[in-house]
Amino acid sequence: MLFGYLLFFLAALVSGAPTSSTGDLVNALSIGPISNITVDISLNSLINNVVDVSFTVANFIPAELTLDRIVVSAGVNNTQYASFDHTFSEPVVIPFFGHADSGMIENVPLTQGALASLEIVPLGYLDLLNTSMAATVSGQNGIPWNLTGLTQDDVSTTYQLTFANLKEDES
Ligand SMILES: *[C@@H]1O[C@H](CO)[C@@H](O)[C@H](O)[C@H]1NC(C)=O
Ligand SMILES: *[C@@H]1O[C@H](CO)[C@@H](O)[C@H](O)[C@H]1NC(C)=O
Ligand SMILES: *[C@@H]1O[C@H](CO)[C@@H](O)[C@H](O)[C@H]1NC(C)=O
Ligand SMILES: *[C@@H]1O[C@H](CO)[C@@H](O)[C@H](O)[C@H]1NC(C)=O
């Protein structure tokens, strides 16, 4: 099966197959490129209904992957609690079958507001309702590759209270 999907990816890349079919395949195989989400909740979160988010992103193809942009809708049970569309100022390079840290994505809006979102903190997971990625295979000048409509359930999520950040926010 591993070789089957690798061949599929290579064929899809070479033929420029519609991105949605690749997204569906990734979902069907439960590859789940995103793991280990960290959400930082600060005083600013309670005032402005935003959080800072970082996560680990895995590369499931046998070539270097450069992630330029990611669009995420996250929540629980089909209810969206957060969404963002982030273009990395410094594209994230993920080695061959490896993983990389997204870096901090700041000011992610909380769709349901901060107070309602506190309810899902004890669950310790998020469902990714719709993730799209714009990436490049084989280095920054390589083959453009966009994936849309990725879904993942129960992605382990750590919430950190960072009220110490108040000074930074005041600057
Ligand atoms: C999750 O991320 C944290 C902080 O970046 C890191 O220390 C930890 O090792 C990661 N855990 C996994 C399972 O990737
Ligand atoms: C999610 O849905 C399931 C089944 O409908 C329900 O048992 C569970 O309580 C829900 N969880 C949350 C956090 O809403
Ligand atoms: C892939 O996404 C990027 C950034 O969102 C966009 O500029 C580009 O046109 C997309 N390419 C394709 C083939 O859809
Ligand atoms: C997922 O997001 C993309 C754009 O980011 C959008 O075009 C698509 O319709 C969304 N799919 C669903 C099922 O919401």
Side-chain angles (χ1 to χ4, degrees):
M1 167 149 137
L2 184 67
F3 282 112
Y5 94 74
L6 291 181
L7 285 176
F8 179 92
F9 277 122
L10 294 176
L13 284 172
V14 170
S15 68
T19 53
S20 61
S21 67
T22 321
D24 290 345
L25 182 82
V26 172
N27 290 339
L29 292 169
S30 303
I31 294 168
I34 294 177
S35 61
N36 198 21
I37 302 171
T38 302
V39 178
D40 285 356
I41 302 172
S42 65
L43 204 51
N44 187 38
S45 304
L46 303 181
I47 298 167
N48 293 321
N49 297 311
V50 294
V51 287
D52 295 340
V53 174
S54 64
F55 50 85
T56 301
V57 55
N59 178 3
F60 40 80
I61 61 167
E64 185 181 281
L65 196 62
T66 305
L67 185 59
D68 300 302
R69 178 182 171 199
I70 187 163
V71 184
V72 172
S73 162
V76 170
N77 274 1
N78 288 322
T79 300
Q80 185 194 76
Y81 279 83
S83 76
F84 59 89
D85 178 345
H86 184 74
T87 299
F88 294 98
S89 52
E90 194 72 39
V92 177
V93 176
I94 320 164
F96 198 107
F97 283 136
H99 47 81
D101 193 291
S102 66
M104 193 64 82
I105 297 172
E106 294 181 337
N107 296 321
V108 170
L110 295 169
T111 321
Q112 311 288 328
L115 287 181
S117 303
L118 293 177
E119 265 174 41
I120 65 166
V121 168
L123 299 176
Y125 71 86
L126 281 170
D127 296 334
L128 301 181
L129 309 173
N130 184 3
T131 305
S132 301
M133 300 180 175
T136 313
V137 178
S138 296
Q140 251 162 297
N141 300 316
I143 309 162
W145 189 37
N146 292 359
L147 281 154
T148 55
L150 299 177
T151 58
Q152 281 178 253
D153 285 341
D154 300 339
V155 180
S156 164
T157 304
T158 307
Y159 294 88
Q160 301 183 151
L161 296 175
T162 58
F163 291 105
N165 279 350
L166 191 56
K167 268 196 197 128
E168 270 173 42
D169 294 342
E170 277 173 353
S171 64

